[in-house]
């Protein structure tokens, strides 16, 4: 039977891959999102840890707008001054020396996995239960969640999943067949679970002893989120590869893999590539984001405000019977409940506060680093009201 014009226009034309809220985005500025009906929401999720400088930051908008008139794309056969300058900002604020620019966090992790295997000539990648590294086949295989794997056939071989924060299991797992250990300094999607310093140092030591590489996935924790430029700095370790994305372009699609100098020859011409990665618009957004973040002191602000934010969450919420635990680092917080969080999150949206889940029972908050203390405190009180209702 032929479809009528009415049939076609009443069909949903998007794959149902997201459980979307009943909110239609209209505009965003600072820490506020406005829907098409004019309702305003205070954004405690920052586009899932993306808008660290808030929405539509004037410096980033100006930089991207300027580049729009200079050119969008020419391909990576050309040299771009902005790529070199942005790479220098990343390497000067990390233990890395070289940068590969991609379009997303998943692509950055794909590059890291490829580089680790190519450099070591080994097949095995150690990952951790409840980790999340992306949804492409390589990054999905690195993800220690069976729910992410289901329905897609055999996973890429060579990946093992071990308990997070378990030093004994980690040390037994890393051997002379191991290409890399990949970990999140704070498991974001896995429930906002920070790694113990001892665990991170053990991962670094095990990698060094066996000739494996240590990959820190800083897609969500990097670019100031935890009160350091990268979260691994809290433990004093020196990973061989760092991956970044999300906040790197303050909303512009962009990813980066940062590696140590000794890896240079393993990623030579023809070994890896991307059409759009590192394009001029992305570099304009990233360079402006990083310069603003650093020059205006937002990393230090995240450390100071984040400590107060987490302290207030603990003081106000841990005595509630519905709250199992408050966890976090810097401006990254998770409140684990004794029941599913979906209903409470819906009530928060109704009250004009946006948060996101990290598993079925965890309310995750990733506010812009620019959010003032009064607004942060107001969010804690609103959350408390909803949890008591």
């Amino acid at each position: 039977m032929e479809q009528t014009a009415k049939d076609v226009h009443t069909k949903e034309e998007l794959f149902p891959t997201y459980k979307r809220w009943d909110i239609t985005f209209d505009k965003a500025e600072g820490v506020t999102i406005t829907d098409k009906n004019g309702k305003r929401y205070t954004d405690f999720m920052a586009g899932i840890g993306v808008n660290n400088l808030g929405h539509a930051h004037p410096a980033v908008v100006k930089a991207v707008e300027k580049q729009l008139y200079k050119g969008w794309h020419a391909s990576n056969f050309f040299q771009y001054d902005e790529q070199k300058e942005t790479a220098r900002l990343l390497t000067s604020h990390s233990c890395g020396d070289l940068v590969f620019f991609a379009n997303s966090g998943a692509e950055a992790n794909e590059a890291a996995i490829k580089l680790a295997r190519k450099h070591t000539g080994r097949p095995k990648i150690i990952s951790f239960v409840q980790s999340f590294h992306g949804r492409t086949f390589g990054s999905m295989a690195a993800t220690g969640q069976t729910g992410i794997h289901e329905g897609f056939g055999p996973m890429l071989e060579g990946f093992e999943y071990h308990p997070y924060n378990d030093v004994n299991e980690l040390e037994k797992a890393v051997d002379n067949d191991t290409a890399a250990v990949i970990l999140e300094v704070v498991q974001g999607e896995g429930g906002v679970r920070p790694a113990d310093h001892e665990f991170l140092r053990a991962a670094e030591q095990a990698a060094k002893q066996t000739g494996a590489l240590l990959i820190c996935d800083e897609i969500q924790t990097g670019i100031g989120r935890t009160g350091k430029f990268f979260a691994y700095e809290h433990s004093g370790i020196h990973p061989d590869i760092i991956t970044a994305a999300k906040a790197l372009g303050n909303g512009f699609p962009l990813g980066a893999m940062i590696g140590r100098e000794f890896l240079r020859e393993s990623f030579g011409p023809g070994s890896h590539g991307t059409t759009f990665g590192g394009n001029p618009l992305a570099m304009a957004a990233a360079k402006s984001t990083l310069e603003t973040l650093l020059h205006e002191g937002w990393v230090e602000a995240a450390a100071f405000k984040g400590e107060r934010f987490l302290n207030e969450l603990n003081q106000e919420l841990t005595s509630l019977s519905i709250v199992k635990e408050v966890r976090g680092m810097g401006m990254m917080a998770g409140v684990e409940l004794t029941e599913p969080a979906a209903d409470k999150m819906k009530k928060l949206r109704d009250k004009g506060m946006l948060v996101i889940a990290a598993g079925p029972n965890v309310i995750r908050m990733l506010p812009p680093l620019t959010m003032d203390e009064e607004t942060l405190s107001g969010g804690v009180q609103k959350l408390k009201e909803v949890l008591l209702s």
Side-chain angles (χ1 to χ4, degrees):
M1 182 182 294
E2 291 186 8
Q3 289 183 319
T4 65
K6 182 178 179 181
D7 290 333
V8 171
H9 288 302
T10 55
K11 284 177 62 180
E12 174 59 73
E13 294 165 336
L14 296 169
F15 274 108
T17 47
Y18 307 106
K19 294 181 179 179
R20 298 183 191 270
W21 301 331
D22 189 22
I23 300 173
T24 301
F25 177 93
D26 180 46
K27 60 184 178 181
E29 184 176 3
V31 301
T32 304
I33 293 177
T34 305
D35 71 13
K36 71 172 185 179
N37 298 316
K39 183 173 179 177
R40 292 160 62 86
Y41 300 84
T42 304
D43 187 4
F44 271 76
M45 54 177 279
I48 317 180
V50 168
N51 300 100
N52 280 10
L53 294 178
H55 298 274
H57 191 285
V60 182
V61 171
K62 183 179 179 181
V64 174
E65 184 178 46
K66 181 180 178 181
Q67 188 60 51
L68 280 170
Y69 294 99
K70 292 179 67 177
W72 301 5
H73 176 79
S75 86
N76 278 309
F77 288 115
F78 290 83
Q79 296 189 41
Y80 297 114
D81 287 340
E82 293 79 5
Q83 273 193 14
K84 296 175 183 178
E85 292 162 5
T86 305
R88 192 170 297 116
L89 285 166
L90 289 170
T91 57
S92 63
H93 291 87
S94 73
C95 61
D97 304 293
L98 303 164
V99 180
F100 175 85
F101 287 111
N103 303 288
S104 67
E107 286 186 28
N109 283 335
E110 288 281 347
I113 291 164
K114 287 180 67 175
L115 176 55
R117 283 186 163 179
K118 190 168 188 293
H119 179 78
T120 63
R122 300 172 179 180
K124 189 164 81 171
I125 308 282
I126 301 296
S127 180
F128 299 94
V129 176
Q130 288 303 112
S131 61
F132 183 84
H133 299 290
R135 293 181 183 271
T136 55
F137 256 97
S139 61
M140 178 171 63
T143 294
Q145 299 188 43
T146 55
I148 302 296
H149 302 167
E150 288 173 358
F152 295 102
M155 287 294 102
L156 186 64
E157 294 180 355
F159 289 83
E160 295 182 2
Y161 316 106
H162 296 273
Y164 189 66
N165 272 335
D166 189 322
V167 172
N168 290 332
E169 288 295 321
L170 166 69
E171 291 176 340
K172 286 189 289 185
V174 182
D175 57 25
N176 292 331
D177 289 326
T178 304
V181 177
I182 184 169
L183 56 82
E184 299 158 274
V185 181
V186 181
Q187 287 191 331
E189 302 294 328
V192 191
R193 299 180 185 278
D196 297 333
H197 294 322
E198 180 189 9
F199 177 72
L200 294 174
R201 291 165 188 155
E204 179 184 43
Q205 186 62 25
K208 281 183 179 178
Q209 288 177 343
T210 58
L213 303 182
L214 176 61
I215 303 170
C216 281
D217 178 340
E218 297 253 13
I219 306 301
Q220 193 166 139
T221 54
I223 321 300
R225 170 58 55 187
T226 68
K228 296 283 189 182
F229 193 84
F230 285 114
Y232 74 79
E233 297 175 68
H234 291 283
S235 295
I237 63 170
H238 296 82
D240 301 299
I241 298 174
I242 307 151
T243 55
K246 286 190 180 291
L248 183 53
N250 206 55
F252 200 97
L254 174 62
M257 180 193 70
I258 307 162
R260 305 283 287 276
E261 175 62 35
F262 70 85
L263 298 168
R264 181 186 293 271
E265 298 306 316
S266 296
F267 243 28
S271 58
H272 195 52
T274 167
T275 297
F276 297 115
N279 69 76
L281 283 179
M283 293 300 94
K287 183 170 179 283
S288 177
T289 296
L290 294 175
E291 289 177 341
T292 302
L293 186 89
L294 293 164
H295 294 167
E296 295 186 359
W298 292 115
V299 178
E300 295 80 5
F304 176 77
K305 291 188 292 187
E307 183 178 8
R308 291 193 170 193
F309 180 49
L310 288 168
N311 284 341
E312 187 171 359
L313 284 167
N314 272 291
Q315 290 168 6
E316 296 293 326
L317 304 183
T318 51
S319 63
L320 306 183
S321 60
I322 192 176
V323 175
K324 183 177 180 180
E325 187 179 17
V326 174
R327 299 185 292 268
M329 184 184 292
M331 299 278 274
M332 182 177 190
V335 179
E336 184 173 359
L337 308 182
T338 57
E339 62 183 54
D343 179 62
K344 301 300 183 184
M345 291 172 57
K346 171 65 166 58
K347 288 181 178 179
L348 284 169
R349 292 196 296 274
D350 291 343
K351 290 178 175 289
M353 179 176 169
L354 301 177
V355 296
I356 189 171
N361 289 21
V362 178
I363 295 175
R364 179 173 27 156
M365 287 170 284
L366 303 162
L369 310 189
T370 54
M371 185 175 285
D372 62 59
E373 290 189 71
E374 183 179 356
T375 306
L376 285 167
S377 184
V380 175
Q381 295 306 314
K382 191 169 288 186
L383 176 56
K384 183 177 181 179
E385 291 172 16
V386 165
L387 294 180
L388 286 169
S389 64

